Amino acid sequence: MKILLVQVGTQYTRDGKIIDEPIIVEHSLPLGILYLGQVLEQENYEVEYFDHAVADISVDKLSKWIVKNDFNIVGLTVLTATFITAVKIAQKLKSLNKNIIVVFGGPQATICHDKIMEKYKSVDFCVRNDGEYTFLNLIKHIESNKPVSDVRGITYRENGKVKYTENAGLIDDLDKLSFPDRKVLTDKHKYMMSGLISPIITTRGCPYNCKFCTCHIIYKRRVRFRSVRNVVDELIYLESEGFKEIMIVDDCFTLKPKRVEKICELIKKENIDLKWHSLARTNLGGLNMYRQMATAGCTTVLFGFESATQRILDYYNKQITPDLAIKSIKKVRKANIPNISGGFIIGAPTETFKEIVNTIKFGLKLNISILQFQILNITPGTLIYKEFIEKGWINDETDWEGSIPAPDICPTAVPKKILNKLIENATKRLLTNPRRIFRDYYNFIRNEYQSRYIRGLLKSITNRI
């Protein structure tokens, strides 16, 4: 049984139109297919990996390569943004070899599994939620010709009818999963810093229920934690493999500040010399936690501030306040973590032009290094998506195949053209602010994560002019 695991890239729009310049994501190794592959390899399956998100290769060429190499099963990790591209790959594969088994996994396959199987006959199975052991079990049943109806956590067809098995349950003991072998991808693809920066995940899930997010839908607001020892052992492994920077990609890394402090203490005890970056929430963690992070190698903290208007924050179910943003920044600065990133979302259904301008002004005044504004997208499965269905702005039968910018369908939202102009002007002000330039220049040139971000901003502005 020869298996290929693919991280799907973004080459098609949600309307099925090919993108002139495919989105190349070179900053992050896809941990999902690496975890899947490790479990399969431990059972002696022949597994290969392909990161379509970073490879500059068309759907046609990729599909022909897959068929030429005689893969029996192709597992595609599908995000909302990459869904249509994944469908194109599945359809092309089936046109070339109808016997190839195509399996979808990932967020979109979990949230929209029933609709995928109803509409797209080129997809044979959807694996829902944590996929490692479900996918392994599915392959074993296929290989031995056992009924797949015994496999928990899948959606499939039987005699043309879509069927679902009961949920497999989430993986409680994350420590039993082997460390992903990044070299199977870094030896094949080119990533940021030539493969010297790697993501790591220390938890799965999030207890919050932000209205624009699918995490709490997929994981039912359950959070599972790897042990402190297990996390630090992987950092030791990554350092031995030559990695220099780490991005902690947990949805809620700072949920337990004491756990974060213990991780930092053990990093220092083991003399690990890695720069690392982490997401954080403004309502979690005190000065001591950030000080521990700083002395353990943390150089960037990323916050989702979202809005300067409490009414909008409450609409998003963020459970934070604008004042917490200011207080958190002060704590991080006092702890001597050099870089702070802040993200804002604009374009909520009832958000006024004045409120959006106020949010942008608020963001520009913050003492942070990286500032990002993005337009609210409506993603299938989210609470906002369900709200838009109820209001008649979204048709769930036709609009589930990708995210939609809220202003494109919401009659009460500020038009997207105006929002884009506001973001463009804010970005120009950010990059031409002398105080920011002198304050952050040294950190930018020392930090590949930030310097790539700045180059991206400059490129986006150049393309708009």
Side-chain angles (χ1 to χ4, degrees):
M1 186 71 70
K2 194 174 179 183
I3 303 160
L4 177 68
L5 300 176
V6 181
Q7 182 75 22
V8 180
T10 307
Q11 293 191 351
Y12 288 84
T13 66
R14 63 181 301 275
D15 298 321
K17 297 177 182 177
I18 194 164
I19 299 172
D20 292 334
E21 292 186 20
I23 299 171
I24 305 299
V25 182
E26 61 180 18
H27 66 278
S28 184
L29 289 152
L31 293 179
I33 62 173
L34 296 180
Y35 273 116
L36 284 172
Q38 292 286 105
V39 170
L40 296 176
E41 288 179 11
Q42 287 170 358
E43 294 289 326
N44 298 315
Y45 284 103
E46 182 181 356
V47 183
E48 287 195 36
Y49 308 79
F50 194 89
D51 191 351
H52 184 233
V54 72
D56 188 12
I57 182 173
S58 69
V59 166
D60 279 359
K61 287 183 179 180
L62 173 61
S63 302
K64 289 175 182 176
W65 175 81
I66 292 171
V67 172
K68 181 180 178 181
N69 283 273
D70 296 320
F71 289 103
N72 306 106
I73 297 178
V74 178
L76 303 172
T77 293
V78 187
L79 308 177
T80 305
T82 65
F83 175 68
I84 295 300
T85 305
V87 168
K88 297 289 185 183
I89 294 172
Q91 291 172 334
K92 186 65 179 180
L93 286 175
K94 289 293 188 178
S95 72
L96 296 172
N97 182 354
K98 65 180 181 180
N99 294 318
I100 289 180
I101 297 172
V102 177
V103 183
F104 275 16
Q108 186 76 353
T110 296
I111 293 169
C112 301
H113 59 97
D114 50 347
K115 292 182 173 64
I116 292 170
M117 298 305 297
E118 286 284 358
K119 182 172 181 178
Y120 294 107
K121 309 305 180 187
S122 55
V123 182
D124 297 298
F125 300 94
C126 280
V127 170
R128 309 189 305 268
N129 301 107
D130 286 348
E132 287 89 347
Y133 296 108
T134 299
F135 190 43
L136 171 64
N137 198 15
L138 174 62
I139 290 172
K140 285 184 175 181
H141 277 68
I142 292 172
E143 188 177 38
S144 59
N145 290 316
K146 292 181 179 179
V148 296
S149 58
D150 293 335
V151 181
R152 296 169 63 199
I154 65 167
T155 305
Y156 65 103
R157 277 184 226 90
E158 188 176 278
N159 298 322
K161 184 178 179 180
V162 175
K163 294 196 172 185
Y164 328 89
T165 63
E166 65 176 316
N167 289 330
L170 302 176
I171 299 172
D172 290 316
D173 183 9
L174 298 179
D175 283 6
K176 71 179 181 180
L177 295 171
S178 299
F179 303 151
D181 180 9
R182 279 80 166 172
K183 282 192 173 180
V184 298
L185 286 173
T186 58
D187 287 348
K188 182 183 294 184
H189 300 294
K190 183 179 179 181
Y191 292 92
M192 180 187 288
M193 294 179 66
S194 301
L196 296 181
I197 185 168
S198 173
I200 183 175
I201 186 162
T202 80
T203 66
R204 291 189 184 183
C206 178
Y208 295 93
N209 64 333
C210 298
K211 210 167 186 176
F212 49 76
C213 183
T214 59
C215 184
H216 64 96
I217 306 296
I218 294 171
Y219 295 120
K220 312 303 179 186
R221 299 179 72 175
R222 278 189 57 202
V223 184
R224 292 149 293 149
F225 300 85
R226 291 171 59 186
S227 67
V228 171
R229 181 73 258 177
N230 185 257
V231 171
V232 175
D233 281 346
E234 184 170 7
L235 293 176
I236 293 171
Y237 163 72
L238 290 172
E239 186 176 31
S240 72
E241 291 290 297
F243 289 97
K244 302 298 182 183
E245 291 194 35
I246 302 299
M247 180 68 201
I248 298 175
V249 294
D250 299 26
D251 289 292
C252 213
F253 177 62
T254 58
L255 181 61
K256 291 186 176 181
K258 291 296 182 183
R259 174 179 178 269
V260 174
E261 292 172 18
K262 288 178 181 178
I263 290 173
C264 294
E265 289 167 3
L266 193 52
I267 287 174
K268 290 180 284 186
K269 184 178 179 180
E270 296 288 354
N271 295 313
I272 297 171
D273 184 20
L274 289 170
K275 295 178 183 177
W276 53 278
H277 323 283
S278 169
L279 281 74
R281 280 185 62 98
T282 59
N283 62 327
L284 298 172
L287 178 58
N288 186 62
M289 183 192 75
Y290 288 118
R291 280 177 170 163
Q292 291 279 10
M293 290 169 64
T295 57
C298 179
T299 60
T300 309
V301 175
L302 303 93
F303 290 109
F305 299 132
E306 317 311 2
S307 179
T309 303
Q310 189 60 52
R311 182 179 69 84
I312 300 301
L313 290 173
D314 293 342
Y315 171 74
Y316 288 148
N317 293 338
K318 278 294 292 187
Q319 300 181 44
I320 59 174
T321 67
D323 187 55
L324 281 173
I326 297 170
K327 290 179 178 178
S328 295
I329 291 167
K330 287 180 179 178
K331 283 186 282 189
V332 175
R333 288 296 182 198
K334 194 170 184 179
N336 291 319
I337 295 176
N339 308 307
I340 305 173
S341 170
F344 291 89
I345 298 173
I346 59 176
T350 63
E351 190 174 21
T352 66
F353 177 82
K354 185 178 180 180
E355 287 172 331
I356 293 170
V357 170
N358 182 56
T359 287
I360 291 173
K361 288 180 178 179
F362 177 82
L364 290 171
K365 289 178 182 178
L366 294 177
N367 182 19
I368 61 177
S369 316
I370 302 175
L371 181 62
Q372 292 178 300
F373 297 99
Q374 65 182 66
I375 296 172
L376 174 65
N377 273 304
I378 312 303
T379 302
T382 61
L383 295 176
I384 292 185
Y385 182 85
K386 293 176 182 178
E387 175 191 312
F388 274 40
I389 292 174
E390 292 172 359
K391 292 186 175 181
W393 298 337
I394 278 180
N395 183 342
D396 193 37
E397 296 302 314
T398 58
D399 294 332
W400 59 272
E401 298 188 57
S403 294
I404 308 173
D408 285 355
I409 52 177
C410 176
T412 61
V414 173
K416 189 167 68 173
K417 184 177 181 180
I418 294 175
L419 296 179
N420 280 328
K421 190 64 179 178
L422 289 172
I423 292 173
E424 180 182 333
N425 290 338
T427 305
K428 288 178 180 177
R429 287 177 62 188
L430 175 68
L431 295 179
T432 56
N433 184 315
R435 181 176 64 86
R436 288 183 181 274
I437 292 172
F438 286 111
R439 185 191 67 200
D440 296 326
Y441 175 73
Y442 181 62
N443 287 329
F444 286 153
I445 63 174
R446 293 175 65 222
N447 188 312
E448 182 67 16
Y449 174 80
Q450 281 200 235
S451 61
R452 282 293 179 111
Y453 165 78
I454 292 300
R455 288 198 290 273
L457 280 181
L458 289 170
K459 182 179 179 180
S460 69
I461 289 176
T462 301
N463 290 340
R464 286 175 177 171
I465 296 175

